[in-house]
Structure formats: C-alpha cells, structure tokens
Amino acid sequence: MEFIKKFAKEISVFGLVLVIFLGLFIYRQATFKDYKTISQDKLTQMIESKEDFVVVLGDASNTTVQGYQSIMTKYTTKNRSTPFYYLNTADVDKLEDYVKKTFESEVSYPVTFIIKEGKMVAKKEGAMQYYSLYDFVKENFK
C-alpha cells in the first residue's frame, strides 16, 4: 500500500512539472514570433506569385545586420499579421545582378523592401530602429 501512495505522489509531481512545461511552451508560442529566413529561389517564387510581404536583405555575418535582426524579431513578435522575411545575401550568387534584376534597384545592405502584388512599392536602406521600421511598414504595407 505504501508503494502505491509513493508511486501516485511521484506521478502527480511529474504531471505537475509536465503541465508547467506545456504551459510555458504554449505561452512562448502565443507571444513570440520570429521572421522567416528564405532562400533566393523562394523569394523569386513569392514575387512571381504576386504575394504581399516585407523582406530584408543583408549578410548575417555583418554586425549591423546582426543588430537589425533583433529589431526584426521584435517587430514580428508585436506585428504578427505582417508577412516578414529575411534573405541572407551571403547565400546569393551574383548578388548585385540578382537585386538589379529582381528589384530594379541598386542598394546598400541591409535593405528593407515592401513588396505588394509582386512589385516593390518601397525600400529603405540601412538598419532601422523599431519605431522607424514600424512606421515604414505601416505607411507602405497596409
């Protein structure tokens, strides 16, 4: 009888710990969203299918881009409805030619593009602070 009580107590403690971890996981899923990193081919496909989205191009090894990535994460967490993507330019073959052909523009990196119906409607070069990014997207995306 003592064994059953001890076993039941351990099961209830394990169940409580399991419920706490499950609750924390659900909380994180509900409150945190990250931008999605895409490939060059996926970006081209999204433009050809005339989607609406925001995309940032930059080299992940650059310290400016690394700082901007935290701003992008903050933006996507607070603004879940905006489709937000990132393309690591270190993975792009013939980068300047690709950007000229795809966006019909020469840019410096990082650069944030607003794409509507497969066409670039706005661009902003350089890393922005959260509220600058928020205002830029709000003015040009909605």
Side-chain angles (χ1 to χ4, degrees):
M1 188 68 164
E2 188 65 33
F3 175 73
I4 293 173
K5 286 183 181 180
K6 187 177 180 180
F7 183 71
K9 189 176 180 180
E10 287 182 20
I11 291 294
S12 65
V13 170
F14 176 72
L16 183 61
V17 169
L18 187 64
V19 167
I20 290 171
F21 277 115
L22 184 61
L24 290 172
F25 176 75
I26 290 170
Y27 175 76
R28 178 167 164 55
Q29 293 299 317
T31 60
F32 182 79
K33 183 177 183 217
D34 202 0
Y35 57 88
K36 187 173 185 176
T37 301
I38 58 174
S39 67
Q40 175 182 354
D41 295 334
K42 178 69 175 167
L43 177 59
T44 303
Q45 181 184 30
M46 290 169 59
I47 290 171
E48 288 173 353
S49 62
K50 300 189 183 296
E51 294 181 32
D52 298 345
F53 58 93
V54 178
V55 64
V56 175
L57 278 62
D59 188 342
S61 64
N62 183 311
T63 56
T64 303
V65 175
Q66 290 171 356
Y68 191 38
Q69 287 174 328
S70 65
I71 303 294
M72 292 162 32
T73 299
K74 183 177 180 180
Y75 179 83
T76 55
T77 298
K78 292 185 175 195
N79 302 280
R80 296 173 161 270
S81 62
T82 306
F84 203 102
Y85 301 96
Y86 169 72
L87 175 65
N88 187 359
T89 56
D91 300 335
V92 178
D93 296 329
K94 299 181 182 174
L95 177 63
E96 298 305 320
D97 293 339
Y98 175 75
V99 172
K100 269 187 192 177
K101 184 180 85 172
T102 306
F103 301 105
E104 300 171 357
S105 178
E106 290 185 22
V107 297
S108 60
Y109 302 97
V111 60
T112 306
F113 290 108
I114 307 281
I115 310 295
K116 284 186 140 184
E117 296 180 5
K119 301 223 183 281
M120 180 191 62
V121 295
K123 78 173 179 182
K124 185 108 177 193
E125 296 180 21
M128 296 180 264
Q129 294 301 316
Y130 171 78
Y131 288 107
S132 299
L133 177 60
Y134 177 82
D135 290 341
F136 174 67
V137 174
K138 185 178 177 184
E139 290 171 6
N140 295 294
F141 191 71
K142 301 287 176 179

